[in-house]
Amino acid sequence: MQPRRQSFIAVPTDPCSGSLPALAMADFSLRPRLGFKGAGTADWLAAQGLSLPPEPNQSVKDDQGRLIARLSWGEFLLLGDFAALQSAWSFETAPLCFPLPRLHSHAWIVISGDAAPKMMAKICGVDLRAHKFAQGRIAQTSVARLNAIVIADRIRGRLGFHLLSDISTSQYLWDCLCDAMLEFDGAPVVLEALAKESHGQTDAQG
Amino acid sequence: MKIMNCPLNGPRNISEFAYGGEVKPTPDAQAPTQEWADYVYYHANQPGILREWWLHVPTSYWFIAERDVTTDRIIATFKPEEVLR
């Protein structure tokens, strides 16, 4: 019987050691995230004090390190703890702005390492090299033949990506990524190794 | 690899797109059944340059493409609001 590949529970890196593989990948799927969609969404989010990216397929970070991604003129994906925003929303106060829960629809995988664009080139047709795909850019495209949202970011001071894809096929995607990163000395790590709380220099929030 | 330019997302592999049929004027809601049947079931299916609906599947974004159906060459793509005013 063929041995099972690295799975979501594989944790080969000690988060306290401070060292990371050349290419590291962590599952952020248990971290909070949500979305809003509708013609009135940008106005309502701006009224809540959020700085929004001016164009679709761009993202910005707020002063808490949370990521605000604009997927289209009227659709936003918010990575991080936006519980206060969720509480503030209601049909009456947010006209033409509708919540789009993402916690159970999309898996969230974070990749960190300067070889990340090379690794992604094996499974994604979009040129994700840093000089073509700057920090904050978003590609909504196909990754390992799955629909996915790719967001460029600096994670622990290295090139990196947030990858969001349908949660029902996320084990397949995880296996594909594990396979693709082998030749770049990549490995899965525990979430804390890439999350903000455990490293001052880390950008990834959750 | 065949590339199509999505007006929202930029150039993408053709495998990310789905065909949505010819662009044609929608009949009036009160139009005769025959006219609606023609609209729904009949297509020109002629060689030459056609305007068609295409979907960028990862973003569920519908747009219009001008395509030479004889050579399968994509000539241009448009946001719907640029064509349907």
Side-chain angles (χ1 to χ4, degrees):
Chain A
M1 186 177 174
Q2 196 164 354
R4 187 168 173 75
R5 289 183 187 174
Q6 300 279 15
S7 75
F8 282 101
I9 52 169
V11 286
T13 297
D14 176 6
C16 302
S17 71
S19 63
L20 279 174
L23 200 53
M25 172 173 74
D27 178 22
F28 273 51
S29 297
L30 292 176
R31 290 299 176 105
R33 58 196 171 281
L34 78 158
F36 288 97
K37 187 175 185 176
T41 303
D43 289 342
W44 186 74
L45 290 177
Q48 304 308 306
L50 262 61
S51 286
L52 306 178
E55 301 269 333
N57 287 323
Q58 293 179 357
S59 68
V60 292
K61 280 207 173 137
D62 67 7
D63 51 8
Q64 299 172 53
R66 303 176 303 182
L67 203 81
I68 300 156
R70 188 169 200 157
L71 302 181
S72 71
W73 290 107
E75 184 175 349
F76 291 81
L77 170 66
L78 309 173
L79 299 180
D81 186 0
F82 288 87
L85 201 63
Q86 208 162 6
S87 306
W89 181 89
S90 72
F91 272 112
E92 293 74 24
T93 57
L96 291 177
C97 169
F98 307 98
L100 208 56
R102 298 286 198 174
L103 198 54
H104 303 296
S105 67
H106 283 65
W108 177 8
I109 295 170
V110 173
I111 300 164
S112 162
D114 292 337
K118 279 187 181 172
M119 188 271 284
M120 289 295 288
K122 296 169 70 176
I123 49 175
C124 176
V126 178
D127 188 347
L128 299 174
R129 291 176 296 172
H131 64 285
K132 293 278 189 182
F133 195 74
Q135 183 179 356
R137 284 272 308 274
I138 299 173
Q140 300 176 77
T141 183
S142 176
V143 174
R145 294 189 175 267
L146 297 174
N147 294 334
I149 301 166
V150 184
I151 306 172
D153 196 3
R154 300 287 302 179
I155 294 158
R156 289 205 59 186
R158 315 191 299 185
L159 289 178
F161 300 108
H162 299 269
L163 204 57
L164 291 111
S165 185
D166 191 299
I167 205 158
S168 62
T169 45
S170 54
Q171 180 68 62
Y172 159 77
L173 180 61
W174 182 264
D175 289 346
C176 286
L177 291 165
C178 286
D179 183 69
M181 64 173 29
L182 275 180
E183 69 171 285
F184 303 104
D185 298 322
V189 296
V190 291
L191 180 151
E192 289 76 11
L194 298 183
K196 186 170 187 170
E197 294 89 316
S198 55
H199 300 280
Q201 74 273 39
T202 304
D203 296 319
Q205 219 269 358
Chain B
M1 185 179 292
K2 198 174 179 70
I3 303 287
M4 187 187 259
N5 186 53
C6 170
L8 177 65
N9 298 284
R12 290 287 191 274
N13 188 335
I14 197 71
S15 64
E16 292 189 20
F17 298 95
Y19 174 75
E22 294 169 20
V23 175
K24 33 187 190 179
T26 312
D28 184 82
Q30 305 306 319
T33 308
Q34 184 60 48
E35 197 174 327
W36 270 103
D38 286 354
Y39 172 74
V40 174
Y41 296 111
Y42 289 96
H43 308 288
N45 204 23
Q46 294 294 309
I49 295 170
L50 271 189
R51 284 192 166 173
E52 301 166 328
W53 285 105
W54 281 82
L55 172 72
H56 181 241
V57 177
T59 50
S60 298
Y61 179 73
W62 284 99
F63 61 95
I64 292 171
E66 211 165 63
R67 185 171 70 102
D68 187 330
V69 296
T70 312
T71 61
D72 196 23
R73 186 168 65 93
I74 296 152
I75 297 157
T77 55
F78 310 92
K79 295 174 184 170
E81 59 267 31
E82 292 173 7
V83 175
L84 309 172
R85 292 181 190 276

